[in-house]
Amino acid sequence: MCVRVTNMKGVDLNTFVFDWDLTFAVLLMNADGTVYHRYGGRDHESADGRLSMEALTRLVREGLETDREYRKAPKAREGVQKQAIEEIPVFAERLKKNPNVECFHCHMATEARREQAQKDGRWTPDDRWLWPLPDKAGLRLDPQEPTRVTEVAKDSPAAKAGLQKDDRLVSVNGTRVRTEPDVQWFLHDTPPAGGSLEVAFIRGTGKRTVTLALASGWKAATPLEYSWRPAMWLLRPDPGFGGDDLDAAEKQKLGLRADAFAVRVNYLIDWGDRAETGRNARKAGVRKGDILLSAGGVSDFHDHKHFQTWFRFTREPGKDVELKLWRDGKEILVSLPVLP
């Protein structure tokens, strides 16, 4: 079964397990709920740079082999309790306030589970690190042939394990992998505190196995790496305002370089559960229509999402952050208190 999930309403989150922040995900599954392979993925540089129709077509074809192998010795999925997004208590409470919501986006599953974990006291900042790319272990895979290693970062876990360019991955911890998300699943399941994975691969005509050792902290992402994720938006603290990046023509009018960071403040969050953040920004002096040029002395943000993620990852509640704004033809400085 090949599945593309477009609406998470009624979907069992413990069966359809994939990176719920993605806008495109394909699962090759058995009807009993066993996931054979996953496809889909992205990074902060591109929404589709890691996708390939050639690779997807090959996966569907090769997935038949996985299916034949599985049918020889199917494994019962025992002790797996079903859970739909609307059954998560914090999300169920939200639906009581707005019962007309019909379409549940995939990223809402990530958000709902995180909110529930925070409410239950089970969440730590390390729980932010979702579905790490093989890059985190020093492996770059070919989008056209996702099991082929195209690059091994110097001094990385992959390099220390002995993996090399043009090696072809076969399995991780004894499970056949055919895609980058297949590898990501095992990385996702490895704790931030570290762990090890047994990686089998083919080099030349021979098959080899190495141990990929991941040290404490290996899973952490930079604000830029994380900035594409919708899961970023509900993290705290947040600045209480946001907007869109200026285009090159707009920057030119202001005398800014084409590659300069500049975001027009289109809104202050003075609604919903976090209305105090928008009121705080307004009280500090931020106005709709202002152009944000830097924050905390940093001006090399790639875009507004990078700034938003940086704020959430690096700012400390109780302290102030200096914002440089452009208003009415001149620069002004605003000191914004950071709320929890």
Side-chain angles (χ1 to χ4, degrees):
M1 176 168 59
C2 180
V3 180
R4 185 184 181 211
V5 179
T6 56
N7 185 351
M8 296 297 285
K9 187 174 184 179
V11 173
D12 179 10
L13 303 181
N14 292 327
T15 294
F16 294 88
V17 181
F18 60 98
D19 186 345
W20 295 318
D21 275 349
L22 296 175
T23 52
F24 179 77
V26 173
L27 304 179
L28 269 61
M29 306 175 63
N30 187 280
D32 66 8
T34 299
V35 176
Y36 295 151
H37 301 290
R38 297 169 174 85
Y39 186 79
R42 64 160 298 171
D43 54 30
H44 66 278
E45 296 178 343
S46 170
D48 57 9
R50 292 176 182 261
L51 302 178
S52 159
M53 183 56 71
E54 176 185 342
L56 178 56
T57 302
R58 183 186 302 110
L59 172 65
V60 173
R61 184 173 61 249
E62 293 179 347
L64 295 174
E65 178 184 342
T66 304
D67 180 64
R68 286 191 292 269
E69 293 172 355
Y70 178 80
R71 289 174 183 272
K72 294 176 183 177
K75 300 176 182 178
R77 299 177 70 243
E78 298 177 352
V80 180
Q81 296 182 342
K82 292 184 177 181
Q83 183 185 56
I85 186 173
E86 57 267 36
E87 295 171 341
I88 299 174
V90 292
F91 200 87
E93 287 298 316
R94 191 179 305 163
L95 285 176
K96 290 180 181 178
K97 299 177 182 178
N98 190 3
N100 296 322
V101 177
E102 289 294 329
C103 183
F104 301 161
H105 299 287
C106 294
H107 67 84
M108 291 180 178
T110 301
E111 295 163 357
R113 281 198 164 175
R114 181 180 66 221
E115 287 184 52
Q116 191 63 53
Q118 289 172 327
K119 184 176 181 179
D120 296 343
R122 297 181 287 105
W123 191 87
T124 72
D126 276 340
D127 292 321
R128 292 175 293 184
W129 315 131
L130 309 168
W131 295 88
L133 290 165
D135 306 46
K136 279 294 174 186
L139 281 178
R140 186 79 180 196
L141 301 179
D142 186 349
Q144 307 297 325
E145 301 178 67
T147 60
R148 185 176 75 86
V149 177
T150 60
E151 183 180 349
V152 177
K154 185 179 179 181
D155 297 327
S156 67
K160 292 175 182 177
L163 288 161
Q164 298 178 8
K165 180 181 178 182
D166 290 326
D167 287 344
R168 292 184 177 271
L169 305 186
V170 175
S171 66
V172 177
N173 288 353
T175 298
R176 183 66 182 263
V177 295
R178 297 186 186 276
T179 69
E180 186 166 73
D182 282 354
V183 179
Q184 284 179 264
W185 162 243
F186 291 97
L187 295 172
H188 178 70
D189 204 39
T190 302
S196 61
L197 301 173
E198 295 301 310
V199 179
F201 61 96
I202 293 174
R203 180 179 298 164
T205 59
K207 184 177 178 181
R208 308 184 186 190
T209 301
V210 297
T211 299
L212 188 67
L214 301 168
S216 178
W218 74 274
K219 214 169 190 176
T222 66
L224 179 59
E225 290 170 337
Y226 201 89
S227 61
W228 68 268
R229 290 187 172 277
M232 170 272 293
W233 289 102
L234 291 185
L235 292 173
R236 302 293 177 248
D238 70 76
F241 66 88
D244 298 322
D245 303 299
L246 269 62
D247 61 28
E250 291 172 313
K251 292 177 186 178
Q252 186 177 26
K253 289 180 181 179
L254 297 178
L256 301 174
R257 304 187 320 273
D259 62 348
F261 171 72
V263 170
R264 177 173 285 106
V265 178
N266 290 336
Y267 61 86
L268 286 87
I269 304 174
D270 52 7
W271 67 89
D273 296 336
R274 297 291 294 176
E276 72 274 13
T277 62
R279 291 194 292 265
N280 176 63
R282 183 176 285 108
K283 183 178 179 181
V286 179
R287 300 288 181 267
K288 186 176 179 179
D290 287 346
I291 307 298
L292 176 65
L293 301 177
S294 71
V298 179
S299 60
D300 60 349
F301 302 111
H302 284 230
D303 55 24
H304 68 284
K305 292 181 180 178
H306 185 194
F307 159 70
Q308 292 284 349
T309 312
W310 170 87
F311 195 100
R312 287 158 169 79
F313 279 19
T314 67
R315 299 304 89 187
E316 296 182 33
K319 296 186 177 182
D320 291 358
V321 56
E322 186 176 79
L323 307 177
K324 182 185 291 186
L325 304 171
W326 181 271
R327 183 191 299 165
D328 298 330
K330 60 182 180 181
E331 290 183 358
I332 62 170
L333 297 179
V334 165
S335 184
L336 176 69
V338 180
L339 299 184

